[in-house]
């Protein structure tokens, strides 16, 4: 079945450092891919998405490119801020399954001033 | 703005109790979902519903049931709570089109 694998955290960075959180997936066909973010004490919010190969999703300085050849959707940001501290989830929308999502295990990011 | 409201942020119950978790959305969404969130496991789908009175099992339905009597409300029921159901529970909703899911803030449930 479909699956999503993320790098384990926590990831600890200093403010203004470069961020990469790796995400790879296993799925049949060409699923849509998502990054969600969960700030402390809150539910998940959609951060960005990509619906087909080579699409780049971007939002709030974060970017991720849908790489079909490597089945990856790595999240990047050039300069992180303390306010980016959160848990980040990679997810895919299952094919022919309406709006059902499969999530990765989540990666906690801690940014220190 | 989109709003998904879960009735409790924190809940403590005892083993064997029947537990109800409530979720309400104000966006007239057809689809609603219940997940549990556990460290290192991400979110796992328990049940979902595509319409009123319709329900489908997700990946881990054992020990749970759901109710959708009205379009805006989706309830998760733990028939006889057990300690391994201690977790964070998240509700989500989306329209029937190709739109992202909107999440509530979660209910942290402890079963003693």
């Amino acid at each position: 079945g479909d699956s999503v694998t993320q790098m384990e955290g926590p990831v600890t960075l200093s403010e203004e450092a470069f961020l990469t959180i790796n995400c790879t997936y296993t799925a049949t066909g060409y699923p849509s891919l998502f990054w969600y973010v969960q700030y402390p004490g809150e539910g998940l919010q959609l951060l960005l998405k990509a619906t087909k190969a080579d699409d780049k999703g971007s939002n709030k300085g974060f970017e991720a490119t849908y790489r079909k050849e490597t089945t990856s959707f790595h999240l990047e940001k050039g300069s992180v801020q303390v306010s980016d501290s959160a848990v980040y989830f990679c997810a895919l929308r299952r094919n022919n399954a309406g709006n059902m999502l499969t999530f990765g295990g989540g990666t906690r990011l801690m940014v220190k001033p | 703005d989109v709003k998904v409201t879960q009735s409790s942020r924190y809940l403590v119950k005892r083993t064997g109790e029947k537990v109800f978790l409530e979720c309400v959305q104000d966006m007239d969404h057809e689809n609603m979902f219940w997940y549990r969130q556990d460290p290192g496991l991400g979110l796992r789908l328990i049940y979902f519903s595509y319409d009123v009175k319709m329900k489908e099992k997700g990946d881990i339905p054992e020990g749970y049931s759901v109710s959708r009597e009205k379009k805006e409300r989706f309830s998760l029921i733990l028939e006889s709570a057990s300690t391994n159901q201690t977790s964070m529970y998240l509700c989500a909703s989306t329209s029937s089109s190709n739109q992202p899911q909107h999440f509530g803030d979660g209910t942290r449930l402890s079963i003693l």
Side-chain angles (χ1 to χ4, degrees):
Chain A
D2 297 348
S3 66
V4 177
T5 302
Q6 292 180 234
M7 59 189 293
E8 290 191 23
V11 174
T12 303
L13 296 173
S14 297
E15 208 164 21
E16 299 184 3
F18 184 85
L19 168 71
T20 300
I21 300 179
N22 291 336
C23 170
T24 57
Y25 67 90
T26 301
T28 55
Y30 306 104
S32 295
L33 301 173
F34 305 84
W35 277 101
Y36 279 84
V37 58
Q38 184 180 35
Y39 297 105
E42 298 183 11
L44 276 68
Q45 303 174 25
L46 179 66
L47 182 60
L48 52 85
K49 68 177 183 179
T51 58
K52 61 183 186 297
D54 300 324
D55 265 3
K56 177 185 282 188
S58 61
N59 186 25
K60 300 181 181 179
F62 290 89
E63 293 183 339
T65 301
Y66 190 144
R67 301 285 188 199
K68 183 168 70 72
E69 63 277 12
T70 55
T71 61
S72 64
F73 193 53
H74 304 322
L75 182 68
E76 297 181 336
K77 186 174 185 181
S79 176
V80 294
Q81 306 300 312
V82 172
S83 57
D84 293 326
S85 298
V87 181
Y88 292 82
F89 292 92
C90 185
L92 63 83
R93 176 183 285 130
R94 309 177 197 185
N95 287 325
N96 302 317
N99 268 308
M100 290 175 61
L101 299 176
T102 296
F103 286 87
T107 303
R108 181 176 298 278
L109 170 66
M110 296 190 293
V111 181
K112 298 186 175 181
Chain B
D1 200 13
V2 169
K3 188 70 175 176
V4 177
T5 303
Q6 295 184 228
S7 54
S8 304
R9 293 300 300 271
Y10 301 94
L11 207 53
V12 180
K13 296 291 183 181
R14 297 205 171 274
T15 303
E17 281 192 71
K18 189 169 187 176
V19 181
F20 293 86
L21 302 184
E22 305 288 347
C23 175
V24 176
Q25 50 93 3
D26 65 358
M27 298 153 290
D28 203 37
H29 283 168
E30 286 79 12
N31 305 324
M32 297 188 73
F33 307 82
W34 273 107
Y35 297 90
R36 62 177 284 174
Q37 179 183 0
D38 300 289
L41 298 178
L43 277 71
R44 293 178 291 167
L45 182 65
I46 304 171
Y47 266 97
F48 60 99
S49 170
Y50 286 138
D51 203 349
V52 176
K53 296 194 184 296
M54 291 183 64
K55 59 184 179 183
E56 297 285 343
K57 292 180 180 180
D59 298 318
I60 51 165
E62 295 78 18
Y64 303 93
S65 62
V66 291
S67 172
R68 186 127 183 242
E69 295 298 317
K70 294 184 178 181
K71 190 174 187 180
E72 67 271 19
R73 185 180 297 271
F74 192 37
S75 303
L76 179 69
I77 304 159
L78 285 65
E79 297 290 343
S80 177
S82 63
T83 55
N84 62 13
Q85 292 178 309
T86 292
S87 187
M88 170 72 88
Y89 289 87
L90 290 166
C91 174
S93 73
T94 185
S95 62
S96 60
S97 59
N98 198 24
Q99 296 298 314
Q101 294 184 15
H102 298 274
F103 285 82
D105 287 341
T107 296
R108 187 167 292 281
L109 175 65
S110 296
I111 307 297
L112 304 180

